[in-house]
Amino acid sequence: MPVIPAPGVIFSIWLITFLTPTTWLRFAVWFIIGMIIYFSYSRHHSKLREGQPEPETRASGRRSACAGRRSGLSIPYGNTEARYPQFSAFR
């Protein structure tokens, strides 16, 4: 367990215990307002809702060479056949 973050978390929790009920109420109200804005925006601007393909699916409907891998690396999307014709993985 890291040495510096653990006391920092404990100290922050200790400081939070001294907040007044009015502060907690303000926090709760602003938190709820923020969650309403966050979920309203995300629901309205969702790419899945518009029927667009998931990021690991190519525009041609075929899965990319890295689809399903969780390595953190990805290939560029778009017309990869035109840019990299020498690689058979893109065909």
Side-chain angles (χ1 to χ4, degrees):
M1 183 170 186
V3 177
I4 300 298
V9 168
I10 293 169
F11 184 70
S12 297
I13 292 171
W14 178 72
L15 286 174
I16 288 172
T17 61
F18 292 105
L19 295 176
T20 63
T22 306
T23 304
W24 281 106
L25 181 62
R26 287 180 187 153
F27 167 73
V29 169
W30 281 110
F31 180 78
I32 291 169
I33 290 170
M35 288 293 104
I36 290 170
I37 292 170
Y38 175 78
F39 285 109
S40 301
Y41 181 86
S42 63
R43 185 176 176 100
H44 178 67
H45 292 87
S46 172
K47 301 294 182 197
L48 295 175
R49 185 171 188 213
E50 294 173 3
Q52 295 182 2
E54 293 183 26
E56 63 184 24
T57 303
R58 299 171 67 197
S60 65
R62 295 179 292 188
R63 295 175 63 83
S64 68
C66 296
R69 297 183 190 165
R70 299 290 181 214
S71 64
L73 300 174
S74 63
I75 60 170
Y77 300 109
N79 192 1
T80 55
E81 289 88 0
R83 287 188 283 170
Y84 307 106
Q86 68 273 24
F87 297 116
S88 62
F90 295 121
R91 293 183 189 161

XYZ file of all heavy atoms in Angstrom:
738
model
N 0.850 -1.181 0.000
C 0.000 0.000 0.000
C 0.892 1.239 0.000
O 1.836 1.325 0.775
C -0.902 -0.033 1.223
C -1.862 1.097 1.287
S -3.045 0.775 2.615
C -4.125 2.117 2.353
N 0.584 2.200 -0.862
C 1.402 3.410 -0.920
C 1.392 4.181 0.400
O 0.390 4.234 1.103
C 0.756 4.233 -2.019
C -0.035 3.255 -2.816
C -0.433 2.168 -1.883
N 2.518 4.774 0.723
C 2.673 5.450 2.010
C 2.014 6.828 2.012
O 1.320 7.187 2.971
C 4.174 5.576 2.356
C 4.385 6.333 3.645
C 4.806 4.207 2.428
N 2.187 7.615 0.988
C 1.679 8.989 0.970
C 0.161 9.059 0.738
O -0.529 9.791 1.450
C 2.429 9.827 -0.092
C 3.924 9.861 0.220
C 1.863 11.230 -0.198
C 4.290 10.491 1.542
N -0.416 8.336 -0.229
C -1.857 8.467 -0.467
C -2.732 8.011 0.704
O -3.776 8.611 0.963
C -2.114 7.587 -1.687
C -0.809 7.500 -2.372
C 0.216 7.552 -1.285
N -2.345 6.987 1.419
C -3.178 6.474 2.506
C -3.399 7.521 3.606
O -4.556 7.779 3.990
C -2.569 5.201 3.081
N -2.361 8.171 4.121
C -2.613 9.228 5.110
C -3.390 10.404 4.517
O -4.175 11.050 5.216
C -1.215 9.679 5.542
C -0.316 8.564 5.203
C -0.928 7.889 4.014
N -3.174 10.668 3.219
C -3.922 11.746 2.574
C -5.412 11.470 2.554
O -6.225 12.363 2.815
N -5.779 10.231 2.266
C -7.201 9.850 2.268
C -7.767 9.938 3.682
O -8.863 10.485 3.904
C -7.373 8.427 1.682
C -8.773 7.897 1.928
C -7.043 8.422 0.207
N -7.041 9.433 4.641
C -7.505 9.476 6.036
C -7.666 10.917 6.508
O -8.673 11.272 7.137
C -6.531 8.694 6.944
C -6.601 7.206 6.603
C -6.830 8.935 8.415
C -5.512 6.366 7.241
N -6.701 11.763 6.190
C -6.779 13.169 6.592
C -7.958 13.866 5.916
O -8.668 14.660 6.550
C -5.461 13.880 6.253
C -5.410 15.298 6.708
C -5.335 15.603 8.063
C -5.434 16.336 5.793
C -5.284 16.924 8.497
C -5.393 17.654 6.214
C -5.309 17.948 7.569
N -8.198 13.583 4.635
C -9.331 14.188 3.930
C -10.656 13.760 4.541
O -11.567 14.579 4.716
C -9.289 13.806 2.451
O -8.139 14.325 1.846
N -10.790 12.480 4.869
C -12.023 12.000 5.520
C -12.201 12.674 6.862
O -13.311 13.070 7.237
C -12.003 10.466 5.634
C -12.108 9.835 4.235
C -13.128 9.968 6.528
C -11.896 8.343 4.206
N -11.104 12.834 7.600
C -11.183 13.515 8.904
C -11.655 14.956 8.729
O -12.494 15.430 9.496
C -9.804 13.466 9.572
C -9.747 14.179 10.887
C -10.299 13.773 12.063
C -9.110 15.418 11.148
N -10.036 14.692 13.043
C -9.290 15.721 12.501
C -8.379 16.312 10.359
C -8.799 16.870 13.096
C -7.880 17.453 10.942
C -8.096 17.729 12.291
N -11.153 15.657 7.711
C -11.595 17.032 7.463
C -13.067 17.088 7.054
O -13.800 17.996 7.455
C -10.735 17.675 6.376
C -9.326 18.072 6.775
C -8.552 18.565 5.557
C -9.342 19.135 7.849
N -13.519 16.124 6.275
C -14.911 16.098 5.822
C -15.864 15.940 7.001
O -16.980 16.466 6.980
C -15.098 14.976 4.783
C -14.427 15.361 3.474
C -16.563 14.667 4.541
C -14.394 14.253 2.446
N -15.435 15.252 8.040
C -16.324 15.045 9.197
C -16.656 16.350 9.911
O -17.640 16.402 10.640
C -15.702 14.067 10.206
O -14.478 14.599 10.689
C -15.497 12.706 9.579
N -15.889 17.404 9.688
C -16.143 18.688 10.342
C -17.042 19.611 9.525
O -17.319 20.737 9.958
C -14.818 19.410 10.640
C -13.998 18.715 11.685
C -12.877 17.999 11.331
C -14.376 18.762 13.024
C -12.117 17.347 12.288
C -13.624 18.119 13.993
C -12.496 17.406 13.621
N -17.505 19.176 8.370
C -18.390 20.014 7.563
C -19.768 20.123 8.207
O -20.268 19.172 8.805
C -18.519 19.437 6.154
C -17.247 19.433 5.305
C -17.513 18.742 3.972
C -16.737 20.838 5.076
N -20.388 21.282 8.030
C -21.717 21.513 8.610
C -22.784 20.825 7.752
O -22.567 20.558 6.565
C -22.018 23.016 8.676
O -22.046 23.551 7.350
C -20.965 23.754 9.504
N -23.951 20.562 8.347
C -25.046 19.960 7.568
C -25.469 20.813 6.370
O -25.862 20.266 5.330
C -26.187 19.835 8.581
C -25.498 19.757 9.905
C -24.287 20.621 9.775
N -25.366 22.125 6.485
C -25.706 23.000 5.359
C -24.773 22.740 4.176
O -25.201 22.710 3.022
C -25.601 24.478 5.785
O -26.392 24.690 6.942
C -26.060 25.403 4.680
N -23.511 22.522 4.454
C -22.539 22.235 3.399
C -22.855 20.908 2.728
O -22.778 20.786 1.500
C -21.115 22.221 3.986
O -20.876 23.465 4.635
C -20.083 22.004 2.905
N -23.218 19.904 3.532
C -23.590 18.605 2.965
C -24.836 18.724 2.100
O -24.932 18.082 1.049
C -23.822 17.580 4.075
C -22.549 17.036 4.619
C -21.983 17.329 5.818
C -21.674 16.116 3.978
N -20.809 16.651 5.961
C -20.587 15.893 4.850
C -21.680 15.459 2.753
C -19.542 15.042 4.526
C -20.638 14.616 2.443
C -19.580 14.414 3.325
N -25.792 19.545 2.512
C -27.005 19.747 1.720
C -26.674 20.420 0.398
O -27.173 20.014 -0.662
C -28.020 20.581 2.507
C -29.349 20.840 1.808
C -30.077 19.526 1.537
C -30.202 21.767 2.650
N -25.834 21.442 0.439
C -25.423 22.108 -0.802
C -24.702 21.127 -1.728
O -24.925 21.121 -2.938
C -24.498 23.282 -0.492
C -25.198 24.447 0.109
C -24.217 25.564 0.382
N -24.870 26.622 1.125
C -24.246 27.444 1.936
N -22.940 27.341 2.116
N -24.910 28.381 2.574
N -23.828 20.317 -1.147
C -23.119 19.323 -1.946
C -24.112 18.363 -2.603
O -23.999 18.066 -3.793
C -22.138 18.540 -1.067
C -21.603 17.308 -1.744
C -20.675 17.412 -2.769
C -22.038 16.047 -1.363
C -20.188 16.279 -3.400
C -21.554 14.909 -1.989
C -20.627 15.025 -3.005
N -25.089 17.880 -1.844
C -26.067 16.928 -2.377
C -26.870 17.544 -3.518
O -27.086 16.898 -4.563
C -26.983 16.429 -1.271
N -27.307 18.790 -3.346
C -28.100 19.454 -4.380
C -27.273 19.641 -5.649
O -27.723 19.314 -6.756
C -28.639 20.805 -3.863
C -29.230 21.640 -4.992
C -29.682 20.575 -2.776
N -26.060 20.162 -5.520
C -25.219 20.372 -6.692
C -24.795 19.048 -7.337
O -24.656 18.967 -8.557
C -23.988 21.212 -6.351
C -24.336 22.665 -6.278
C -24.383 23.438 -5.160
C -24.708 23.510 -7.367
N -24.765 24.703 -5.486
C -24.966 24.794 -6.844
C -24.853 23.319 -8.734
C -25.349 25.862 -7.631
C -25.242 24.394 -9.523
C -25.478 25.641 -8.975
N -24.617 18.022 -6.528
C -24.281 16.706 -7.071
C -25.433 16.182 -7.917
O -25.220 15.669 -9.025
C -23.960 15.735 -5.934
C -23.598 14.362 -6.402
C -22.338 14.105 -6.904
C -24.517 13.328 -6.354
C -21.995 12.829 -7.345
C -24.189 12.068 -6.783
C -22.919 11.806 -7.288
N -26.650 16.302 -7.433
C -27.824 15.842 -8.180
C -27.988 16.641 -9.469
O -28.247 16.071 -10.536
C -29.089 15.911 -7.295
C -28.999 14.853 -6.195
C -30.347 15.739 -8.121
C -30.052 14.986 -5.118
N -27.810 17.964 -9.388
C -27.892 18.795 -10.592
C -26.829 18.371 -11.607
O -27.102 18.236 -12.802
C -27.751 20.292 -10.236
C -28.992 20.771 -9.476
C -27.539 21.143 -11.487
C -28.853 22.158 -8.879
N -25.624 18.142 -11.141
C -24.545 17.703 -12.021
C -24.831 16.361 -12.668
O -24.554 16.163 -13.860
N -25.384 15.417 -11.920
C -25.703 14.104 -12.479
C -26.819 14.199 -13.523
O -26.780 13.506 -14.542
C -26.117 13.139 -11.362
C -24.968 12.696 -10.482
S -23.764 11.665 -11.347
C -22.436 12.819 -11.605
N -27.798 15.067 -13.278
C -28.873 15.259 -14.259
C -28.299 15.810 -15.558
O -28.612 15.323 -16.654
C -29.973 16.183 -13.696
C -30.736 15.461 -12.582
C -30.923 16.652 -14.791
C -31.684 16.348 -11.798
N -27.433 16.828 -15.462
C -26.809 17.404 -16.660
C -25.941 16.363 -17.357
O -25.996 16.209 -18.582
C -25.986 18.651 -16.286
C -26.922 19.772 -15.840
C -25.111 19.106 -17.453
C -26.219 20.961 -15.236
N -25.142 15.631 -16.604
C -24.226 14.633 -17.171
C -24.988 13.556 -17.933
O -24.670 13.253 -19.093
C -23.404 14.006 -16.048
C -22.516 12.887 -16.496
C -21.315 13.138 -17.144
C -22.876 11.550 -16.279
C -20.495 12.105 -17.561
C -22.061 10.521 -16.687
C -20.874 10.796 -17.328
O -20.078 9.770 -17.740
N -26.003 12.972 -17.318
C -26.729 11.893 -17.981
C -27.630 12.395 -19.101
O -27.826 11.705 -20.096
C -27.512 11.061 -16.964
C -26.627 10.153 -16.160
C -26.382 10.406 -14.822
C -26.009 9.066 -16.748
C -25.545 9.579 -14.084
C -25.168 8.230 -16.030
C -24.944 8.501 -14.691
N -28.165 13.612 -18.972
C -28.962 14.183 -20.061
C -28.097 14.409 -21.289
O -28.490 14.080 -22.416
C -29.584 15.514 -19.633
O -30.400 15.347 -18.530
N -26.917 14.986 -21.077
C -26.009 15.240 -22.190
C -25.551 13.932 -22.828
O -25.569 13.792 -24.051
C -24.802 16.044 -21.710
C -23.827 16.358 -22.815
C -24.008 17.484 -23.605
C -22.750 15.522 -23.079
C -23.133 17.776 -24.630
C -21.877 15.804 -24.111
C -22.068 16.924 -24.881
O -21.202 17.197 -25.901
N -25.150 12.972 -22.001
C -24.631 11.724 -22.560
C -25.718 10.941 -23.288
O -25.455 10.302 -24.298
C -23.990 10.867 -21.470
O -24.954 10.482 -20.511
N -26.925 10.998 -22.802
C -28.013 10.289 -23.478
C -28.327 10.934 -24.820
O -28.570 10.259 -25.806
C -29.250 10.282 -22.582
C -30.381 9.482 -23.139
C -31.528 9.436 -22.142
N -32.654 8.742 -22.693
C -32.964 7.489 -22.427
N -32.219 6.814 -21.596
N -33.998 6.925 -22.976
N -28.273 12.264 -24.861
C -28.586 12.990 -26.088
C -27.470 12.841 -27.126
O -27.739 12.795 -28.323
C -28.811 14.472 -25.775
C -29.097 15.311 -26.971
N -30.254 15.185 -27.706
C -28.376 16.273 -27.588
C -30.223 16.045 -28.706
N -29.091 16.718 -28.649
N -26.215 12.772 -26.707
C -25.082 12.735 -27.622
C -24.455 11.344 -27.768
O -23.331 11.215 -28.241
C -24.013 13.726 -27.164
C -24.431 15.149 -27.304
N -25.122 15.803 -26.317
C -24.282 16.023 -28.319
C -25.374 17.028 -26.711
N -24.875 17.194 -27.921
N -25.155 10.315 -27.389
C -24.624 8.955 -27.444
C -24.435 8.489 -28.879
O -25.330 8.605 -29.711
C -25.570 8.000 -26.714
O -25.170 6.677 -26.913
N -23.252 7.940 -29.181
C -22.979 7.388 -30.508
C -23.715 6.062 -30.701
O -24.118 5.729 -31.798
C -21.477 7.160 -30.704
C -20.657 8.404 -30.555
C -20.946 9.388 -31.641
C -20.068 10.608 -31.473
N -20.519 11.760 -32.210
N -23.890 5.298 -29.641
C -24.613 4.026 -29.742
C -26.079 4.256 -30.044
O -26.704 3.478 -30.761
C -24.458 3.232 -28.453
C -23.047 2.759 -28.136
C -23.020 2.100 -26.766
C -22.556 1.805 -29.190
N -26.637 5.328 -29.509
C -28.042 5.619 -29.750
C -28.279 5.986 -31.212
O -29.336 5.719 -31.771
C -28.489 6.756 -28.840
C -29.962 7.038 -28.931
C -30.387 8.002 -27.870
N -31.832 8.096 -27.890
C -32.502 9.179 -27.612
N -31.873 10.256 -27.243
N -33.808 9.180 -27.660
N -27.288 6.619 -31.843
C -27.420 7.022 -33.243
C -27.229 5.858 -34.205
O -27.369 6.014 -35.409
C -26.394 8.109 -33.570
C -26.635 9.401 -32.827
C -25.516 10.404 -33.043
O -24.584 10.099 -33.821
O -25.577 11.474 -32.447
N -26.847 4.701 -33.685
C -26.657 3.542 -34.526
C -25.299 3.488 -35.193
O -25.089 2.727 -36.114
N -24.353 4.291 -34.725
C -23.010 4.250 -35.287
C -22.292 3.019 -34.769
O -22.570 2.541 -33.690
C -22.245 5.515 -34.912
C -22.843 6.757 -35.526
C -22.037 7.990 -35.166
O -21.024 7.904 -34.505
N -22.516 9.132 -35.612
N -21.335 2.493 -35.547
C -20.633 1.288 -35.105
C -19.785 1.551 -33.867
O -19.353 2.673 -33.627
C -19.746 0.931 -36.297
C -19.602 2.189 -37.064
C -20.871 2.965 -36.834
N -19.564 0.509 -33.106
C -18.700 0.619 -31.943
C -17.286 0.905 -32.400
O -16.919 0.577 -33.524
C -18.756 -0.671 -31.130
C -20.104 -0.913 -30.503
C -20.103 -2.161 -29.646
O -19.025 -2.534 -29.159
O -21.168 -2.734 -29.476
N -16.443 1.498 -31.556
C -15.096 1.879 -31.977
C -14.252 0.734 -32.504
O -13.413 0.940 -33.347
C -14.476 2.437 -30.696
C -15.619 2.855 -29.867
C -16.745 1.938 -30.230
N -14.449 -0.496 -32.043
C -13.616 -1.588 -32.516
C -14.142 -2.227 -33.795
O -13.580 -3.183 -34.295
C -13.433 -2.641 -31.433
C -14.722 -3.322 -31.000
C -14.471 -4.287 -29.854
O -13.497 -4.109 -29.128
O -15.269 -5.196 -29.695
N -15.232 -1.720 -34.352
C -15.775 -2.208 -35.610
C -15.420 -1.210 -36.702
O -15.606 -0.025 -36.539
C -17.311 -2.354 -35.530
O -17.621 -3.216 -34.450
C -17.867 -2.903 -36.814
N -14.923 -1.689 -37.804
C -14.516 -0.814 -38.890
C -15.727 -0.355 -39.687
O -16.804 -0.918 -39.620
C -13.536 -1.557 -39.783
C -12.298 -1.961 -39.018
C -11.422 -2.858 -39.788
N -10.849 -2.156 -40.916
C -10.300 -2.759 -41.938
N -10.236 -4.068 -41.975
N -9.792 -2.083 -42.930
N -15.550 0.687 -40.472
C -16.637 1.247 -41.271
C -17.167 0.244 -42.286
O -18.330 0.291 -42.665
C -16.163 2.518 -41.972
N -16.321 -0.683 -42.721
C -16.748 -1.668 -43.708
C -17.603 -2.770 -43.098
O -18.107 -3.622 -43.802
C -15.514 -2.300 -44.364
O -14.784 -3.024 -43.402
N -17.740 -2.755 -41.769
C -18.515 -3.790 -41.103
C -17.668 -4.944 -40.616
O -18.115 -5.771 -39.844
N -16.420 -5.021 -41.078
C -15.509 -6.069 -40.619
C -14.803 -5.601 -39.361
O -14.572 -4.415 -39.168
C -14.484 -6.382 -41.704
C -15.131 -6.984 -42.942
C -14.103 -7.242 -43.977
N -13.598 -5.942 -44.455
C -12.792 -5.783 -45.471
N -12.344 -6.833 -46.110
N -12.392 -4.601 -45.851
N -14.441 -6.536 -38.523
C -13.739 -6.184 -37.299
C -12.289 -5.849 -37.622
O -11.702 -6.406 -38.526
C -13.815 -7.319 -36.290
C -15.253 -7.568 -35.837
C -15.361 -8.752 -34.926
N -14.641 -8.599 -33.681
C -15.091 -7.968 -32.606
N -16.267 -7.387 -32.660
N -14.394 -7.920 -31.496
N -11.724 -4.937 -36.843
C -10.336 -4.546 -37.064
C -9.392 -5.656 -36.615
O -9.788 -6.600 -35.942
C -10.023 -3.261 -36.301
O -10.045 -3.511 -34.920
N -8.133 -5.534 -36.975
C -7.136 -6.548 -36.637
C -6.935 -6.655 -35.134
O -6.539 -7.695 -34.623
C -5.821 -6.226 -37.322
N -7.191 -5.585 -34.414
C -6.972 -5.558 -32.960
C -8.269 -5.716 -32.176
O -8.276 -5.524 -30.967
C -6.306 -4.250 -32.558
S -4.662 -4.060 -33.252
N -9.365 -6.014 -32.820
C -10.648 -6.093 -32.127
C -10.625 -7.185 -31.072
O -10.139 -8.285 -31.305
C -11.769 -6.367 -33.126
N -11.124 -6.861 -29.922
C -11.205 -7.831 -28.850
C -9.973 -7.884 -27.977
O -9.998 -8.451 -26.904
N -8.894 -7.288 -28.407
C -7.679 -7.270 -27.597
C -7.741 -6.116 -26.618
O -8.259 -5.063 -26.916
C -6.447 -7.109 -28.477
C -6.255 -8.269 -29.422
C -4.993 -8.069 -30.199
N -4.921 -9.053 -31.273
C -4.102 -8.967 -32.275
N -3.270 -7.962 -32.354
N -4.099 -9.886 -33.215
N -7.185 -6.296 -25.470
C -7.177 -5.257 -24.455
C -5.751 -4.783 -24.167
O -5.365 -4.563 -23.058
C -7.813 -5.764 -23.154
C -9.245 -6.183 -23.315
C -10.113 -4.984 -23.553
N -11.491 -5.400 -23.680
C -12.344 -4.806 -24.459
N -11.989 -3.793 -25.187
N -13.586 -5.223 -24.534
N -4.953 -4.639 -25.221
C -3.560 -4.269 -25.040
C -3.372 -2.774 -24.859
O -2.316 -2.323 -24.468
C -2.742 -4.728 -26.247
O -3.179 -4.038 -27.402
N -4.389 -1.967 -25.155
C -4.259 -0.531 -25.069
C -3.792 0.087 -26.375
O -3.764 1.289 -26.523
N -3.423 -0.741 -27.341
C -3.002 -0.248 -28.638
C -4.150 -0.375 -29.612
O -4.954 -1.290 -29.531
C -1.802 -1.047 -29.153
C -0.563 -1.019 -28.278
C 0.476 -1.972 -28.839
C -0.009 0.383 -28.193
N -4.221 0.541 -30.544
C -5.277 0.449 -31.545
C -4.731 0.903 -32.885
O -3.737 1.606 -32.972
C -6.479 1.310 -31.146
O -6.095 2.664 -31.087
N -5.404 0.501 -33.938
C -5.019 0.930 -35.274
C -5.910 2.098 -35.655
O -7.007 2.262 -35.121
C -5.158 -0.220 -36.295
C -6.610 -0.710 -36.342
C -4.213 -1.335 -35.981
C -6.883 -1.663 -37.467
N -5.469 2.935 -36.583
C -6.299 4.059 -37.001
C -7.527 3.557 -37.751
O -7.466 2.557 -38.457
C -5.379 4.870 -37.905
C -4.310 3.938 -38.318
C -4.181 2.920 -37.225
N -8.633 4.262 -37.606
C -9.857 3.894 -38.299
C -9.927 4.632 -39.617
O -9.244 5.612 -39.838
C -11.078 4.215 -37.442
C -11.072 3.479 -36.147
C -10.849 4.139 -34.950
C -11.247 2.103 -36.111
C -10.827 3.451 -33.760
C -11.221 1.408 -34.932
C -11.015 2.095 -33.757
O -10.994 1.408 -32.586
N -10.755 4.189 -40.482
C -10.915 4.837 -41.762
C -10.467 3.917 -42.880
O -10.541 2.690 -42.782
N -9.936 4.486 -43.923
C -9.543 3.733 -45.095
C -8.122 3.214 -44.932
O -7.185 3.705 -45.553
C -9.671 4.605 -46.338
C -9.549 3.808 -47.605
O -9.386 2.587 -47.563
N -9.636 4.474 -48.730
N -7.931 2.217 -44.093
C -6.596 1.684 -43.838
C -6.066 0.890 -45.020
O -4.860 0.788 -45.195
C -6.593 0.797 -42.586
O -7.570 -0.211 -42.738
C -6.860 1.612 -41.349
N -6.956 0.331 -45.863
C -6.497 -0.428 -47.018
C -5.724 0.467 -47.985
O -4.726 0.063 -48.569
C -7.671 -1.087 -47.755
C -8.293 -2.244 -47.001
C -9.388 -1.790 -46.046
O -9.664 -0.572 -45.963
O -9.959 -2.656 -45.384
N -6.183 1.692 -48.149
C -5.516 2.608 -49.073
C -4.186 3.095 -48.501
O -3.233 3.304 -49.243
C -6.421 3.796 -49.366
N -4.122 3.261 -47.191
C -2.901 3.791 -46.586
C -1.850 2.719 -46.360
O -0.661 3.000 -46.391
C -3.233 4.466 -45.254
C -3.940 5.787 -45.464
C -4.080 6.506 -44.159
N -5.172 5.885 -43.415
C -5.444 6.141 -42.157
N -4.695 6.967 -41.484
N -6.452 5.556 -41.563
N -2.268 1.477 -46.090
C -1.340 0.403 -45.766
C -1.639 -0.851 -46.595
O -2.007 -1.889 -46.071
C -1.420 0.051 -44.279
C -1.255 1.235 -43.367
C -2.346 1.765 -42.693
C -0.008 1.803 -43.161
C -2.187 2.849 -41.848
C 0.151 2.879 -42.325
C -0.944 3.413 -41.677
O -0.785 4.480 -40.835
N -1.470 -0.802 -47.912
C -1.839 -1.969 -48.728
C -0.909 -3.162 -48.524
O -1.274 -4.280 -48.848
C -1.742 -1.434 -50.150
C -0.777 -0.303 -50.072
C -0.979 0.302 -48.705
N 0.280 -2.943 -47.979
C 1.238 -4.034 -47.844
C 0.901 -4.966 -46.677
O 1.457 -6.052 -46.586
C 2.664 -3.481 -47.678
C 2.926 -2.751 -46.395
C 2.561 -1.261 -46.437
O 1.740 -0.836 -47.216
N 3.180 -0.503 -45.565
N 0.012 -4.564 -45.781
C -0.315 -5.405 -44.627
C -1.583 -6.211 -44.902
O -2.641 -5.669 -45.146
C -0.527 -4.544 -43.379
C 0.706 -3.802 -42.965
C 0.743 -2.426 -42.975
C 1.840 -4.488 -42.555
C 1.872 -1.742 -42.591
C 2.970 -3.804 -42.165
C 2.994 -2.431 -42.186
N -1.453 -7.508 -44.854
C -2.598 -8.357 -45.152
C -3.622 -8.343 -44.015
O -4.766 -8.716 -44.216
C -2.141 -9.789 -45.417
O -1.522 -10.308 -44.256
N -3.231 -7.920 -42.795
C -4.161 -7.899 -41.662
C -5.262 -6.873 -41.876
O -6.318 -6.967 -41.275
C -3.412 -7.588 -40.367
N -5.024 -5.897 -42.736
C -6.024 -4.849 -42.976
C -6.967 -5.221 -44.126
O -7.848 -4.460 -44.458
C -5.337 -3.519 -43.277
C -4.563 -2.986 -42.128
C -3.208 -2.750 -42.224
C -5.194 -2.715 -40.911
C -2.497 -2.248 -41.166
C -4.483 -2.218 -39.846
C -3.112 -1.995 -39.965
N -6.755 -6.336 -44.752
C -7.587 -6.699 -45.904
C -8.730 -7.580 -45.501
O -8.749 -8.318 -44.616
C -6.754 -7.390 -46.957
C -5.768 -6.439 -47.556
C -4.977 -7.106 -48.663
N -3.932 -6.153 -49.008
C -2.852 -6.465 -49.647
N -2.657 -7.700 -50.049
N -1.961 -5.578 -49.931
